[in-house]
Amino acid sequence: MISIKGLFKQFGQLEVLKGIDIKVEKGKVVVVIGPSGSGKTTMLRCLNVLETPSKGILSIGGQTLDFSQNVSKKNIAAFRRLTGMVFQNYNLFPHMTALENVMEGPVIVKGENKQKARQRAQGLLEKVGLGDKVNYYPSQLSGGQQQRVGIARALAMEPEVMLFDEPTSALDPELVGEVLKVMKDLAKEGMTMIVVTHEMRFAREAADEVIFMDGGVVVERNKPDEMFTTPKEERTKKFLNMIM
Amino acid sequence: MKMYLSNVAADPDRTARLIEIAKTSLWPLLEGAISNTIPLTIISFIVGLLLAILTALARISHIKIAEMIARVYVSAIRGTPLLVQLFIIFYGLPNIGITLDPFISAVIGFSLSVGAYASETIRAAILSIPKGQWEAGYSIGMSYSQVLKRIILPQAARVSLPPLSNTFISLVKDTSLASVVLITEMFRRAQEITSRNYEFLLVYTEAALIYWVICFFLSVIQQYMERKLERYGV
């Protein structure tokens, strides 16, 4: 189980997260929506500790980080391994092939045997539909293909939860589907996922729960059907009207 | 120029003498290049490059004291002439009891110089790598040093190859300054030869041509390396 308790984040004077509480059961898919500047990406990045929270308690599985105290680099690195992050701009390593991108974490961080890591990486790339592209460099792949490598790279670390930060926002419209399909397959397999996205169809089809954030707080959390047909909060209605 | 050439042409004996001098001085000049100019360049560049990486890392480390030391070092080396630095190391240090071998003195002088100039190149190259690359490395659980070694420096190397090649080629020529600390590299050889036969134009031009040939080969190597590093075409 993943829980975020009393999460605050300040950038200088600007308070971006104003006390977030979220719980996600194992195997559930949670989609986070909200206007830009609502803090949804920052929340996700805090969970991966790419941003250090100003205050709050994060826990995944049995591991907990309490940011009201000093948190050591070692604990942060160990905590990060529980999460797999998929970035909006893929952030693949351009000097490595698709296969090497996926192998990098297992070999360098986990110290996995190269032969074994290669086989696993091959399998993961096949799973995301890129079995024939393993030796391509990122620059030789389309955006959708790069993002799928990004997903395979995150999966290679066998995380407890996958975090997706607007994974299809940088893609041409015709490439969005192939990435969403991979994500839906993952959801079906029972992967725990937190997805920040503007893809409402994905939310309807794959999410167990939708969270609407605005102004650094969680405004509403609801089942997807109810969220999109009968939202409870006025702010949610306004936002959904604007985008749908 | 015209007079020099017409004098030479009008005098077959002198022509023969010049050709003879050009031939006999070629090997001593090359020998100076092989035994001193080239080793001095290569050793100083390697040591300098390590120094440059450390200095660049110190500059971006956010550790106040390391940043400060790196800044003062770069400022001092860039703000003083290399020739003066070499004089201080070779002729100055013995006054406080530190006497160094000429070759060691020169290596120290040139390495410090390369370290300072190249550190700025490397710092800029590291900073040119998108922040997302660091984050992607961290997100799969890598430590700072793992991200640096595996992700950032290989990409920074490609960015900094052309400016570092510049530094390297400059260094080949700067080693001629080592003649003042009694190293018989190629230029000092040329001086020795001319002190016997007074054919300054001929011998110095010959030395200049050899420098040019060495630097030309280095440019070829640079192009080859750039192509190799650009395999992944970004």
Side-chain angles (χ1 to χ4, degrees):
Chain A
M1 197 184 74
I2 296 143
S3 89
I4 300 172
K5 263 186 233 151
L7 179 64
F8 284 83
K9 175 64 185 176
Q10 252 174 316
F11 292 105
Q13 290 295 316
L14 184 70
E15 200 170 38
V16 179
L17 298 179
K18 302 168 185 166
I20 302 277
D21 295 281
I22 293 174
K23 269 191 186 145
V24 181
E25 299 292 332
K26 201 170 162 54
K28 297 289 182 200
V29 176
V30 171
V31 165
V32 183
I33 58 172
S36 71
S38 60
K40 52 196 194 308
T41 288
T42 306
M43 183 272 293
L44 206 64
R45 289 165 60 84
C46 280
L47 201 48
N48 195 263
V49 208
L50 285 175
E51 304 291 354
T52 309
S54 312
K55 217 162 67 183
I57 302 171
L58 305 176
S59 74
I60 298 175
Q63 288 198 45
T64 299
L65 293 181
D66 183 350
F67 289 91
S68 56
Q69 297 153 11
N70 266 336
V71 179
S72 75
K73 275 188 183 160
K74 216 178 117 191
N75 287 343
I76 289 176
F79 192 82
R80 274 204 187 108
R81 282 212 227 167
L82 303 171
T83 66
M85 184 82 165
V86 176
F87 298 90
Q88 185 176 351
N89 297 312
Y90 338 126
N91 290 342
L92 294 185
F93 307 130
H95 57 304
M96 299 181 188
T97 62
L99 193 73
E100 288 165 344
N101 263 280
V102 180
M103 285 171 64
E104 186 69 8
V107 172
I108 300 302
V109 179
K110 280 188 175 170
E112 203 172 290
N113 168 297
K114 261 197 172 168
Q115 197 56 43
K116 193 186 151 211
R118 187 182 301 274
Q119 272 173 16
R120 260 190 348 105
Q122 176 83 39
L124 285 166
L125 285 169
E126 275 163 20
K127 184 173 159 167
V128 298
L130 293 171
D132 56 338
K133 297 276 195 288
V134 292
N135 292 321
Y136 283 51
Y137 285 93
S139 58
Q140 298 168 309
L141 299 172
S142 72
Q145 291 168 335
Q146 288 191 53
Q147 191 58 296
R148 286 185 279 153
V149 176
I151 293 171
R153 178 176 68 181
L155 287 174
M157 295 304 285
E158 297 171 320
E160 294 278 320
V161 55
M162 286 284 285
L163 309 175
F164 295 85
D165 182 14
E166 304 197 20
T168 56
S169 298
L171 294 176
D172 289 336
E174 77 273 18
L175 301 177
V176 170
E178 62 190 64
V179 173
L180 292 183
K181 182 181 175 302
V182 169
M183 290 167 63
K184 280 181 210 160
D185 290 347
L186 272 180
K188 267 184 222 148
E189 282 171 30
M191 173 59 79
T192 313
M193 294 163 60
I194 301 178
V195 184
V196 171
T197 187
H198 298 294
E199 292 293 331
M200 298 303 151
R201 269 194 58 194
F202 175 80
R204 272 174 187 262
E205 289 169 25
D208 294 296
E209 189 176 39
V210 178
I211 289 176
F212 173 63
M213 276 180 71
D214 192 14
V217 295
V218 172
V219 176
E220 179 170 350
R221 45 189 311 173
N222 217 328
K223 297 263 172 250
D225 285 344
E226 288 160 34
M227 181 71 106
F228 293 122
T229 51
T230 52
K232 285 176 285 195
E233 301 288 331
E234 205 48 46
R235 272 198 280 177
T236 319
K237 280 179 202 161
K238 237 173 119 187
F239 175 71
L240 289 173
N241 274 336
M242 266 160 55
I243 59 161
M244 304 214 328
Chain B
M1 182 72 185
K2 209 172 161 191
M3 238 173 78
Y4 180 83
L5 290 176
S6 60
N7 279 350
V8 170
D11 184 350
D13 282 354
R14 175 141 166 73
T15 310
R17 185 176 119 84
L18 285 177
I19 291 170
E20 185 57 28
I21 288 174
K23 272 193 204 159
T24 51
S25 39
L26 182 62
W27 174 245
L29 288 176
L30 282 178
E31 207 262 341
I34 293 164
S35 63
N36 281 306
T37 302
I38 293 172
L40 200 53
T41 306
I42 293 174
I43 296 171
S44 303
F45 191 71
I46 292 170
V47 177
L49 207 54
L50 292 175
L51 206 54
I53 293 173
L54 288 179
T55 308
L57 292 178
R59 279 293 302 276
I60 58 172
S61 68
H62 301 298
I63 302 168
K64 276 269 154 58
I65 181 81
E67 228 181 306
M68 192 69 181
I69 293 170
R71 262 177 202 280
V72 170
Y73 159 58
V74 172
S75 171
I77 297 295
R78 292 205 305 188
T80 54
L82 180 52
L83 187 59
V84 176
Q85 292 163 17
L86 288 172
F87 268 70
I88 291 174
I89 295 166
F90 186 69
Y91 296 107
L93 289 184
N95 284 355
I96 54 166
I98 304 171
T99 307
L100 297 166
D101 172 80
F103 193 82
I104 303 288
S105 308
V107 166
I108 293 173
F110 292 130
S111 300
L112 286 173
S113 171
V114 168
Y117 284 97
S119 75
E120 288 292 276
T121 303
I122 290 170
R123 185 171 70 94
I126 290 175
L127 293 178
S128 78
I129 307 302
K131 202 168 140 244
Q133 290 290 309
W134 288 94
E135 294 185 343
Y138 288 139
S139 80
I140 53 171
M142 289 178 144
S143 64
Y144 174 84
S145 62
Q146 284 172 332
V147 178
L148 191 69
K149 201 175 118 207
R150 303 277 314 169
I151 311 298
I152 304 301
L153 287 182
Q155 294 183 62
R158 185 178 51 87
V159 179
S160 54
L161 185 66
L164 284 181
S165 302
N166 255 349
T167 309
F168 192 68
I169 286 171
S170 292
L171 180 61
V172 174
K173 297 171 295 171
D174 283 347
T175 56
S176 59
L177 290 174
S179 59
V180 301
V181 293
L182 314 177
I183 294 175
T184 40
E185 44 63 64
M186 183 162 53
F187 182 58
R188 189 167 177 86
R189 267 294 153 73
Q191 289 175 309
E192 286 170 2
I193 295 167
T194 54
S195 70
R196 289 194 300 272
N197 60 24
Y198 299 103
E199 292 294 350
F200 300 106
L201 181 63
L202 177 74
V203 178
Y204 288 150
T205 305
E206 200 174 351
L209 283 173
I210 297 174
Y211 279 116
W212 191 2
V213 168
I214 294 173
C215 291
F216 175 78
F217 274 111
L218 290 174
S219 313
V220 172
I221 293 171
Q222 177 193 346
Q223 276 171 23
Y224 168 77
M225 284 175 69
E226 275 181 28
R227 265 205 306 276
K228 216 181 140 188
L229 284 171
E230 252 160 45
R231 203 173 29 151
Y232 52 92
V234 200

